[in-house]
């Protein structure tokens, strides 16, 4: 509870900073005369799926996630060819509200991310799991999946002074920090898996924190006239391509929950409006 | 000379329209008795939808319309042509060699209209439309699958017959391409059946036939009690004035089918049981006995048959259905497959020794996690309130 109290206090501080920002979307000297007001950002995100389920059990690289989802064989390859952990992706959306303009330096705001990912593999036949080597387990045609709907609410600091002031350096680094929440569920074939002990559906809610750092390339630099026209006709101030590294801990604060987060990369496109 | 030929053509048209002034207008076409009527939520088939192999033995089409002016001393007859103009030429009409227009005189509907009436309503069994010669639901060679036949009203004057109007009916009784490469794998209390359904004319390298409506999976031994959404009774035979033979034919088919079904429904070890020799997938009542899936949408190539018993053996086949409701012959049955217990991710996770060491890691969310959504909701409302305040402030500053 102590950690969560600290975080709530941080959020409160962010919201308190909002008050003086009411009168300043942008300082008169830090925006061009033709620019429309800028308050929000949207990101379309795609990145890698990561988890720390085995690590949480102290079985990194040899736990149940590795056994089920990372030890299957390529049915088209020669016998004995095991497939490693395939690259799995996460897709999502982020919405930011740029509450506070920090003069010409950048903006501080709050944002929310919602993203979806899953890991799917053919479930092994129970009778065929006699070996300790999961790559030789006999797999059935039935899929088993771990599906995760990861989300976060976070503070966002975007430093866009370089991109705005130095034409040949259109980079806008940023950082995010916040809380993360991830409903997840396991399927067995076309239905939810059942917990073998409680006989309840294998669904749950993990929580933790979210940290991210990245850099965005302001696309206005390449087509300034188009960017200006887009701003004046649609209100879109800037567009970016971005790449970030993020770490999500979802193992729980006060009680251990399934850690379906980890270190991941994310890339995508963003607009500010 | 051109003006002369034009004048002659105009004179001919004028003369013909004067001599045969009657015209038929079809105001309504009603379809009754199709087993497909129960599909798609009981939607009644329209005249624009094809008359398929399942419709053919069961369905009747009622054509309603008007004829103006009322003919006197003439007979209104009904013919089936393989084109809109086939019946216009005497040499095309039955019993001419290579006829492309056939009479429905056995229906007893060729009587002259009552003098005072200009309205008609004629009911024609589907099998007469598809095959006016033998009524076997197999069209004559001159009617290709999927083509239109034309129900034609003709007036018989003393010397010759004149077509007064036609209405097209699309016939599609040819069986779809059989499904290929059906395989099955055992899963927990279920089996995953996969297949390919490719256009034969592309050598099996292209996509699904364009007019495919879906698939049924068949199980051997059949799963008693499974409801595939099919009618369990044969369609009622069409009764017409001359329909005694129709009813007899339908009843005979039903009896033979029922006998065959009974001989195959007793179970037995996997591989020894087969479909009855007289199995007709176009019969809903027969298909219902072996179907272990609902009608699967076109594009489907994988289906999980559930409700099976671990350790028992099953075989599977697939039947395709086209947009006319006509079904293919069943594919080759798979080899025997036995459902078996599988271990899904969560079972494996819960089996892990790490779980017993840390019993707190359960599917039940903590109190913090349970209350967090409410916190998010409150946070969102707070943001919305601040946003509204900010927008109002901006409006005030502008004004």
């Amino acid at each position: 509870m102590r950690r969560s109290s600290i975080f709530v206090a941080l959020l409160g501080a962010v919201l308190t900073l909002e008050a003086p920002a009411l009168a300043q979307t942008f300082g008169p000297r830090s925006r061009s005369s033709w620019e429309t007001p800028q308050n929000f950002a949207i990101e379309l995100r795609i990145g890698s799926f990561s988890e720390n389920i085995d690590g949480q059990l102290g079985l990194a690289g040899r736990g149940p996630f590795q056994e089920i989802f990372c030890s299957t064989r390529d049915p088209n390859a020669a016998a004995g060819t095991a497939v490693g952990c395939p690259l799995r992706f996460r897709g999502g959306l982020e919405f930011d509200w740029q509450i506070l303009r920090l003069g010409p330096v950048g903006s501080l705001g709050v944002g929310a991310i919602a993203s979806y990912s899953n890991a799917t593999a053919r479930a092994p036949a129970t009778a065929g799991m006699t070996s300790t080597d999961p790559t030789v387990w006999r797999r059935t045609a039935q899929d088993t999946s771990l599906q995760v709907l990861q989300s976060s609410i976070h503070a966002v600091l975007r430093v866009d002074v370089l991109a705005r002031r130095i034409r040949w350096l259109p980079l806008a680094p940023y950082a995010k920090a916040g809380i993360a929440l991830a409903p997840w569920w396991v399927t067995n074939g076309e239905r939810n898996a059942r917990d073998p002990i409680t006989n309840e559906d294998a669904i749950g809610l993990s929580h933790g924190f979210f940290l991210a750092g990245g850099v965005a390339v302001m696309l206005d630099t390449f087509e300034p006239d188009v960017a200006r026209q887009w701003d004046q006709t649609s209100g879109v101030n800037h567009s970016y391509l971005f790449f970030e590294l993020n770490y999500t801990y979802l193992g729980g604060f006060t009680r251990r929950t399934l850690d379906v987060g980890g270190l991941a990369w994310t890339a995508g496109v963003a607009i500010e409006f | 000379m051109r003006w002369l030929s034009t004048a002659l053509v105009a004179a001919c048209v004028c003369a013909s329209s004067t001599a045969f002034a009657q015209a038929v207008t079809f105001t309504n076409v009603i379809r009754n008795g199709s087993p497909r009527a129960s599909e798609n939520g009981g939607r009644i088939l329209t005249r624009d939808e094809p008359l398929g192999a399942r419709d053919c033995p069961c369905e009747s089409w009622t054509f309603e319309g008007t004829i103006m002016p009322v003919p006197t001393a003439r007979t209104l007859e009904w013919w089936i042509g393989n084109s809109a103009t086939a019946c216009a030429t005497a040499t095309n009409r039955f019993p001419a060699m290579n006829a492309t227009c056939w009479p429905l005189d056995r229906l007893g509907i060729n009587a002259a209209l009552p003098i005072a009436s200009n309205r008609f309503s004629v009911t024609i069994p589907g099998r007469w439309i598809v095959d006016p010669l033998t009524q076997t639901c197999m069209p004559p060679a001159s009617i290709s699958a999927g083509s239109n036949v034309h129900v034609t009203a003709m007036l018989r004057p003393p010397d010759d017959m004149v077509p007064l109007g036609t209405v097209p009916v699309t016939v599609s009784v040819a069986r779809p391409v059989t499904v290929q490469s059906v395989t099955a794998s055992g899963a927990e209390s279920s089996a995953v059946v996969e297949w390919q359904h490719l256009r034969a004319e592309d050598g099996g390298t292209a996509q699904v036939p364009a007019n495919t409506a879906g698939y049924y999976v068949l199980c051997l031994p059949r799963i008693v009690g499974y409801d595939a959404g099919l009618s369990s009774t044969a369609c009622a035979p069409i009764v017409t004035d001359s329909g005694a033979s129709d009813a007899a034919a339908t009843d005979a088919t039903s009896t033979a089918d029922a006998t065959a079904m009974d001989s195959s429904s007793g179970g037995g070890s996997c591989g020894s049981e087969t479909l009855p020799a007289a199995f007709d997938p176009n019969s809903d009542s027969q298909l219902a006995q072996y179907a272990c899936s609902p009608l699967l949408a076109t594009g489907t190539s994988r289906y999980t048959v559930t409700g099976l018993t671990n350790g028992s053996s099953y075989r599977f086949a697939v039947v395709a259905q086209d947009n006319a409701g006509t079904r293919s012959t069943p594919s080759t049955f798979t080899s025997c497959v036995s459902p078996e217990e599988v271990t899904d991710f969560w079972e494996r996770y819960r089996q892990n020794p790490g779980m017993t060491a840390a019993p707190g890691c359960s599917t039940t969310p903590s109190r913090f996690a349970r209350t967090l959504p409410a916190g998010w909701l409150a946070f969102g409302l707070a943001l919305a309130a601040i946003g509204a305040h900010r927008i109002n402030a901006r409006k005030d500053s502008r004004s």
Side-chain angles (χ1 to χ4, degrees):
Chain A
M1 287 306 282
R2 194 175 168 185
R3 289 186 199 169
S4 57
S5 301
I6 293 170
F7 193 81
V8 170
L10 281 174
L11 274 180
V14 169
L15 291 175
T16 308
L17 286 173
E18 197 276 340
L22 291 177
Q24 54 168 52
T25 300
F26 234 107
R29 285 182 298 176
S30 48
R31 60 184 282 201
S32 302
S33 57
W34 49 266
E35 283 189 76
T36 58
Q38 175 182 319
N39 296 294
F40 306 104
I42 287 179
E43 292 180 359
L44 182 63
R45 302 162 60 86
I46 185 166
S48 61
F49 169 69
S50 61
E51 47 72 38
N52 188 35
I53 295 169
D54 294 347
Q56 190 182 29
L57 296 172
L59 297 169
R62 56 192 173 89
F65 189 91
Q66 178 77 20
E67 289 174 334
I68 298 294
F69 296 119
C70 301
S71 305
T72 56
R73 290 176 180 279
D74 181 355
N76 299 316
T81 305
V83 174
C85 212
L87 184 60
R88 296 183 169 99
F89 293 96
R90 180 193 308 278
L93 277 174
E94 175 172 346
F95 181 80
D96 294 345
W97 180 15
Q98 299 174 342
I99 296 174
L100 183 64
R101 183 67 208 178
L102 305 173
V105 176
S107 64
L108 184 63
V110 294
I113 295 175
S115 61
Y116 169 80
S117 59
N118 76 74
T120 301
R122 295 290 170 92
T126 304
M129 297 172 66
T130 52
S131 171
T132 56
D133 178 7
T135 64
V136 300
W137 289 351
R138 182 166 53 83
R139 300 275 173 163
T140 66
Q142 184 164 312
D143 284 340
T144 180
S145 271
L146 168 65
Q147 311 202 49
V148 182
L149 196 61
Q150 185 175 310
S151 56
S152 68
I153 287 186
H154 51 261
V156 190
L157 173 65
R158 294 181 188 273
V159 179
D160 57 8
V161 62
L162 295 178
R164 297 175 62 84
R165 295 292 174 87
I166 307 174
R167 183 169 291 272
W168 52 268
L169 191 62
L171 301 180
Y174 62 87
K176 303 170 186 174
I179 56 172
L181 187 69
W184 53 263
W185 61 100
V186 179
T187 58
N188 181 17
E190 294 167 2
R191 54 190 165 79
N192 280 337
R194 308 285 286 183
D195 188 283
I197 299 170
T198 65
N199 203 32
E200 294 175 345
D201 281 349
I203 59 176
L205 190 63
S206 298
H207 61 275
F209 62 82
F210 168 77
L211 299 171
V215 62
V217 179
M218 186 184 278
L219 301 178
D220 306 20
T221 305
F222 304 104
E223 290 287 351
D225 293 338
V226 173
R228 178 180 298 193
Q229 189 178 13
W230 202 14
D231 187 0
Q232 291 174 337
T233 58
S234 306
V236 175
N237 305 94
H238 306 290
S239 56
Y240 299 91
L241 287 177
F242 67 88
F243 182 86
E244 77 175 39
L245 290 175
N246 50 61
Y247 176 74
T248 311
Y249 169 76
L250 284 163
F253 289 130
T254 58
R255 185 179 184 183
R256 200 164 88 171
T257 57
L258 193 70
D259 192 357
V260 288
L263 184 64
W265 60 263
T266 300
V269 294
I271 56 171
E272 291 176 323
F273 58 100
Chain B
M1 290 302 288
R2 179 172 291 179
W3 65 268
L4 181 58
S5 61
T6 305
L8 284 172
V9 169
C12 290
V13 170
C14 196
S16 64
S17 59
T18 303
F20 310 112
Q22 279 83 8
V24 160
T25 303
F26 290 95
T27 57
N28 202 9
V29 178
I30 303 165
R31 302 177 66 170
N32 284 307
S34 168
R36 290 198 286 153
S38 61
E39 298 172 7
N40 302 320
R43 182 180 58 82
I44 296 173
L45 298 179
T46 68
R47 58 184 287 183
D48 298 324
E49 293 175 84
L51 194 166
R54 290 164 58 211
D55 306 320
C56 183
C58 307
E59 195 175 39
S60 64
W61 289 56
T62 299
F63 300 88
E64 296 176 344
T66 59
I67 181 168
M68 291 293 289
V70 177
T72 57
R74 289 177 181 178
T75 304
L76 190 63
E77 294 191 349
W78 296 90
W79 290 63
I80 300 292
N82 72 351
S83 72
T85 57
C87 296
T89 306
T91 54
N92 290 338
R93 292 196 288 260
F94 184 83
M97 288 287 289
N98 302 319
T100 55
C101 178
W102 301 271
L104 299 180
D105 54 358
R106 288 176 59 194
L107 286 173
I109 54 176
N110 57 351
L113 288 170
I115 299 299
S117 173
N118 71 332
R119 302 186 64 83
F120 64 84
S121 174
V122 57
T123 298
I124 304 175
R127 63 175 60 198
W128 285 76
I129 297 174
V130 172
D131 180 7
L133 289 179
T134 62
Q135 300 88 49
T136 57
C137 288
M138 294 301 294
S142 61
I143 298 177
S144 59
S147 66
N148 283 339
V149 298
H150 291 258
V151 176
T152 305
M154 299 222 291
L155 201 60
R156 182 187 286 277
D159 50 350
D160 198 2
M161 293 184 289
V162 179
L164 301 181
T166 67
V167 57
V169 176
T170 303
V171 170
S172 181
V173 296
R175 287 191 184 280
V177 176
T178 304
V179 174
Q180 310 97 10
S181 307
V182 182
T183 59
S185 307
E188 189 161 289
S189 302
S190 60
V192 179
V193 183
E194 297 176 281
W195 62 88
Q196 286 186 322
H197 189 213
L198 304 177
R199 293 164 54 174
E201 60 268 32
D202 292 325
T205 58
Q207 63 276 58
V208 170
N211 65 339
T212 302
Y215 306 94
Y216 285 97
V217 177
L218 310 185
C219 289
L220 283 177
R222 61 195 177 93
I223 302 174
V224 177
Y226 181 80
D227 182 7
L230 293 160
S231 170
S232 58
T233 56
C235 66
I238 300 294
V239 177
T240 65
D241 293 346
S242 59
S245 59
D246 296 346
T250 306
D251 287 343
T253 304
S254 301
T255 305
D257 294 347
T259 305
M261 300 301 284
D262 288 340
S263 68
S264 69
S265 60
S269 61
C270 182
S272 65
E273 189 175 6
T274 59
L275 289 176
F279 179 76
D280 178 9
N282 281 323
S283 161
D284 281 14
S285 58
Q286 292 185 41
L287 189 69
Q289 300 209 27
Y290 292 92
C292 48
S293 79
L295 179 62
L296 307 171
T298 182
T300 307
S301 60
R302 175 184 162 106
Y303 179 71
T304 301
V305 180
T306 57
L308 307 181
T309 305
N310 285 346
S312 297
S313 294
Y314 300 87
R315 295 192 301 150
F316 305 92
V318 179
V319 166
Q321 178 171 311
D322 68 16
N323 288 331
T326 307
R327 299 184 183 126
S328 71
T329 54
S331 68
T332 305
F333 271 85
T334 66
S335 54
C336 292
V337 168
S338 297
E340 59 183 332
E341 186 182 347
V342 305
T343 298
D344 62 51
F345 167 67
W346 191 247
E347 286 174 324
R348 186 61 182 163
Y349 183 80
R350 295 288 269 164
Q351 289 167 2
N352 200 282
M355 287 304 301
T356 55
C361 187
S362 73
T363 58
T364 306
S366 67
R367 189 175 63 180
F368 176 82
R370 285 198 304 272
T371 54
L372 206 52
W376 279 30
L377 181 62
F379 182 65
L381 290 174
L383 287 182
I386 293 171
H389 174 69
R390 185 170 178 172
I391 290 169
N392 287 334
R394 190 172 298 160
K395 284 181 179 173
D396 291 343
S397 65
R398 283 178 185 164
S399 61

